[in-house]
Amino acid sequence: MPITRPAHADELPEYLRALRRLADADDLSTAYAGCSIAVEVAGRVGDGAGLAMAYSQRSSVARRLGDLPAARGDAEAAAELLAVSGVPPGSAAGALLLSRRIAVLLDLGEPAAADALLEAAGLTGDLPDDPEYLLLRYVRGRLHAASARPGEGLADLYRCGERLAARRSDHPGVLPWRSAAASVLKRLGAAEAAERLLAEEVALTRRHGLASALGRALRIQGQVLPGEAGMAAAEEAVRVLQGTPRKFEFATALVDLGGLLNGARRRAQARRVLRDGLELAEACGSPALVARAKRYYGGATDRS
């Protein structure tokens, strides 16, 4: 481990912050192992709040690794522990956990369940602009978009951009709000605005960013750009993501590329790509992505 194992409960907060930095650098296997140590230490000393945050952090890492059932289980365990510990759902710790629970549910294709969590927490209205709530605003924007509320989604996502700019930390490695907003704009018919946002995000991640951040931006660019430009972006996304630990993001890129290949009537190539995408989507445990892969494998496109 590149960081010191915690010996006592009072060392857990700094240890978990260090693990979060490792996860943000895509050192996910190390971060996951560290989270398991934090779970063991917090459980041994009977620190309920520390155990909740350890499960919460491990949920986030598991989701990034593409183990969605494990991510969901850890997030639910964390929520139960926070409730028992008396931590308010609107607190910074509660908002962070809620962000992670919603993100997992979106990957699983369960926006209605995510909406119910948001409603129960009483966080459907105005949010503080404090840094601790930015992630929640971002995932809430994605949830709005997934639930056919594009205006509310764009409002949250653009607000993220404003707050990050004010803090001089507006980079996709912090929050990829541009690509999330671009997906919404494309569905609204504002293709030029979507293309501009994605061009910015791709350029930023090419200069200073993780391969996984670049791959995600390219994947969405592939869905937005027309014709061969979109296909080239989608193919590059697959190449970039193949070498990262982000298995669910890679599976999504494969399925997205398969759909584009279907649209270009390159069915044999599409089926090869989709076989890999379907196998990986099943391994990640996402029924929604599995269903989309199967639909594309049958020859469907997004226009079908």
Side-chain angles (χ1 to χ4, degrees), residues 8 11 16 19 25 47 70 86 116 126 147 160 169 181 183 199 208 210 227 232 237 242 254 256 288 291:
H8 307 287
E11 297 175 357
L16 289 170
L19 293 177
D47 179 5
D126 290 340
S147 304
C160 286
S169 57
S183 295
H208 305 290
L210 296 172
Q242 188 169 17
L254 287 167
D256 283 356

Side-chain angles (χ1 to χ4, degrees), residues 12 14 17 25 30 32 34 36 40 126 139 144-145 155 207 209 229 234 254 280 297:
L12 278 171
E14 180 55 38
R17 282 191 289 271
T30 303
Y32 190 89
S36 295
E40 184 271 325
D126 290 340
V139 297
H144 285 319
R207 286 198 299 270
L254 287 167
L280 195 51
Y297 194 80

Side-chain angles (χ1 to χ4, degrees), residues 21-291:
R21 290 192 291 272
L22 286 176
D24 288 344
D26 267 3
D27 190 353
L28 299 181
S29 59
T30 303
Y32 190 89
C35 289
S36 295
I37 289 172
V39 166
E40 184 271 325
V41 170
R44 175 165 44 82
V45 300
D47 179 5
L51 184 58
M53 295 317 296
Y55 274 126
S56 174
Q57 182 65 42
R58 193 169 71 175
S59 169
S60 175
V61 177
R63 174 181 168 265
R64 299 183 201 197
L65 283 166
D67 189 346
L68 299 181
R72 182 178 206 161
D74 278 348
E76 290 177 352
E80 291 175 7
L81 285 163
L82 274 188
V84 170
S85 300
V87 177
S91 67
L96 177 61
L97 175 57
L98 180 61
S99 304
R100 290 167 171 169
R101 296 180 75 188
I102 290 173
V104 172
L105 290 170
L106 287 174
D107 287 351
L108 290 167
E110 300 182 24
D115 260 335
L117 286 181
L118 193 64
E119 182 74 32
L123 293 170
T124 57
D126 290 340
L127 291 175
D129 280 326
D130 299 336
E132 294 85 357
Y133 293 86
L134 265 181
L135 179 59
L136 178 57
R137 189 180 293 278
Y138 168 74
V139 297
R140 192 177 73 172
R142 291 183 54 222
L143 173 58
H144 285 319
S147 304
R149 300 187 295 267
E152 294 169 73
L154 286 174
D156 269 344
L157 294 168
Y158 277 118
R159 184 62 177 169
C160 286
E162 292 170 5
R163 297 312 304 159
L164 289 169
R167 294 167 53 196
R168 298 185 179 180
S169 57
D170 185 10
H171 189 278
V174 180
L175 282 181
W177 67 270
R178 290 176 179 83
S179 52
S183 295
V184 182
L185 290 167
K186 171 67 172 179
R187 292 197 293 271
L188 292 175
E192 289 186 11
E195 290 172 17
R196 283 195 299 272
L197 284 177
L198 281 165
E200 289 178 17
E201 185 161 313
V202 168
L204 285 167
T205 52
R206 283 196 194 282
R207 286 198 299 270
H208 305 290
L210 296 172
S212 58
L214 174 59
R216 181 185 185 280
L218 287 167
R219 175 180 68 78
I220 297 174
Q221 191 175 52
Q223 299 296 301
V224 169
L225 292 179
E228 287 302 315
M231 188 71 73
E235 290 173 338
E236 185 181 358
V238 167
R239 291 194 299 272
V240 169
L241 289 166
Q242 188 169 17
T244 76
R246 303 285 190 118
K247 299 307 180 189
F248 180 73
E249 190 65 54
F250 180 40
T252 305
L254 287 167
V255 174
D256 283 356
L257 176 59
L260 290 176
L261 290 167
N262 271 346
R265 299 186 181 279
R266 292 159 59 178
R267 298 288 170 80
Q269 187 179 356
R271 288 171 74 86
R272 288 195 296 272
V273 169
L274 288 166
R275 274 196 295 269
D276 292 339
L278 175 58
E279 180 179 354
L280 195 51
E282 290 174 335
C284 290
S286 173
L289 189 59
V290 166

Side-chain angles (χ1 to χ4, degrees), residues 282-304:
E282 290 174 335
C284 290
S286 173
L289 189 59
V290 166
R292 189 154 65 91
K294 288 180 176 179
R295 186 166 64 86
Y296 287 163
Y297 194 80
T301 70
D302 284 330
R303 295 179 181 177
S304 300

